[in-house]
Amino acid sequence: MPQPHIIVVGSGWAGFYLAEFLSTTKYAVTIISPRRTSAYTPLLASAACGLFNFYLAEEPIRSKTRKCRFVKANVLGVDFGSRRVHCAPAFEDDDDISKESFDLEYDYLVLAPGCIPNTFNTPGVAENALFMKNVSDAMAVRKLLFDLLEKASLPNCPVERKKELLHVAIVGGGPTGVEITAELDDLAHKELRDLYPEVAGYLTISIYDVAPHILGAYDQKLHEYAHDALLRRHIAVETNSRIERVDRHALYIRDKGRVPYGMLLWVTGNKAVPLVMDLDVRRSEKGLVRILTDSHLRVFKSKDSDEVYDNVFALGDAADIDGSSLPTTAEVAVQKAKYLVNHFNSRGSADAKSVPFTYMEKQLVSYIGSRDGIIAGRGDREGWTGRSAWLAWRSGSVMWTRSWRNRIVIVLTWLVNIIFGKEIAKM
């Protein structure tokens, strides 16, 4: 008797966990994703700034020990009646093969397609900004940074041009924006001063956010602490900033006018992928559009129906529980994936009833630079700051990677960096 076929759409935090732990003795598992690797997103800023090599910030879907099938494709649509997903090969450099679509049948479908960066339809952002969603983005950040430093080092480059080239504009004052700011600032005050002594002093970093303050997920005491810490290190924190458009060399901000930059990093939030918008399922109506599920992660059939698909599940950033909204974080995605793995693996039938999903909240931690961090409070316990918070963030980032080999290499690399400094120019 053939094994029931589970198709998982997406290879992010949720999809990759399912690929790793779904029982391939009970099920035939297929992962469909346009990317052949899964990025450890909390590690991308560190990798971009040379704390360790890029390969440590991602994991390949294909593995000798992982017995699932991988298909490099985009899912264009789902026929829930016939239990088929319609796909197109995902090869940007080969338009012909990308037109050769195909269908795959499933017994169980797990939707975890993730999200894409939200540009808020700001003119020029898609063409000129860098993002921070995967390892190729982190590589682009490092390459551009060194290109800008080399351009500023040319003997015929005037001072004003150096300042413009070495202005890093970061749009988005959430944890990702603040952490990449922190890592870049650490790099600027250490390795870059030795590698580029003539121009490193011209490097400046600015954070822009439309909100009245950065790190809005934290309480007032903590986000004010982070704001003041960044200002002390001469990082410009420009809140209440409305960016009207972007060109190759400058931001155009309401009430501030033209602001030249050399590198623009856009880390403002998420937007639904086209698949989410095209599916005939119930979706959230406010904020980020997400597939709505019941407390067992089963997808609701439509906006006006309380019925669910018993064999279709959704999780990750692209999904939310109706009436019990949770943030789009790696922790939420992984906890939902663990729940679903247990649902499939521990029962004779995946149709068996399970207990509802319950999220176990963990403390929010962010790095703010110069070996300083903030940790949100929980319950009656107040949050705290300082080196202990930085150590908690650093140790937590190690545990995101699921490979013990990678964890050991990351720790060893940190130790080598402490003793000898980063060899970022060689990476």
Side-chain angles (χ1 to χ4, degrees), residues 279-414:
L279 292 175
D280 184 21
V281 296
R282 187 190 297 183
R283 293 184 291 268
S284 58
E285 297 180 353
K286 295 181 179 180
L288 173 63
V289 178
R290 305 166 78 181
I291 299 167
L292 290 178
T293 72
D294 66 3
S295 59
H296 297 264
L297 309 188
R298 297 173 300 185
V299 173
F300 282 104
K301 289 186 176 181
S302 67
K303 178 181 178 180
D304 301 320
S305 173
D306 289 329
E307 294 183 61
V308 296
Y309 292 104
D310 288 327
N311 64 331
V312 181
F313 305 82
L315 64 165
D317 290 354
D320 205 5
I321 297 174
D322 193 20
S324 183
S325 184
L326 292 170
T328 55
T329 65
E331 184 61 44
V332 173
V334 170
Q335 287 193 31
K336 284 187 176 181
K338 288 180 179 178
Y339 167 88
L340 207 54
V341 165
N342 181 66
H343 169 75
F344 279 107
N345 290 356
S346 65
R347 290 164 174 79
S349 168
D351 297 312
K353 296 296 183 182
S354 62
V355 297
F357 170 77
T358 303
Y359 176 58
M360 302 297 292
E361 186 175 5
K362 292 191 176 182
Q363 288 174 297
L364 189 61
V365 186
S366 291
Y367 181 48
I368 59 175
S370 194
R371 297 188 178 180
D372 192 3
I374 58 174
I375 297 182
R378 185 169 60 182
D380 295 332
R381 187 177 182 182
E382 291 187 356
W384 72 93
T385 63
R387 183 158 294 197
S388 62
W390 165 70
L391 288 171
W393 176 81
R394 191 64 90 199
S395 61
S397 65
V398 176
M399 298 310 293
W400 279 119
T401 176
R402 300 184 185 95
S403 163
W404 277 104
R405 175 180 175 176
N406 285 4
R407 290 174 183 172
I408 292 169
V409 173
I410 288 174
V411 172
L412 290 176
T413 304
W414 286 345

Side-chain angles (χ1 to χ4, degrees), residues 4 149 159 198 294 386 417 421:
L149 286 162
V159 170
E198 302 89 355
D294 66 3
N417 289 344

Side-chain angles (χ1 to χ4, degrees), residues 53-69:
N53 215 319
F54 289 113
Y55 79 88
L56 297 170
E58 64 181 354
E59 193 79 25
I61 306 301
R62 294 185 183 274
S63 169
K64 290 186 292 185
T65 60
R66 203 173 295 122
K67 302 304 181 183
C68 62
R69 177 190 181 193

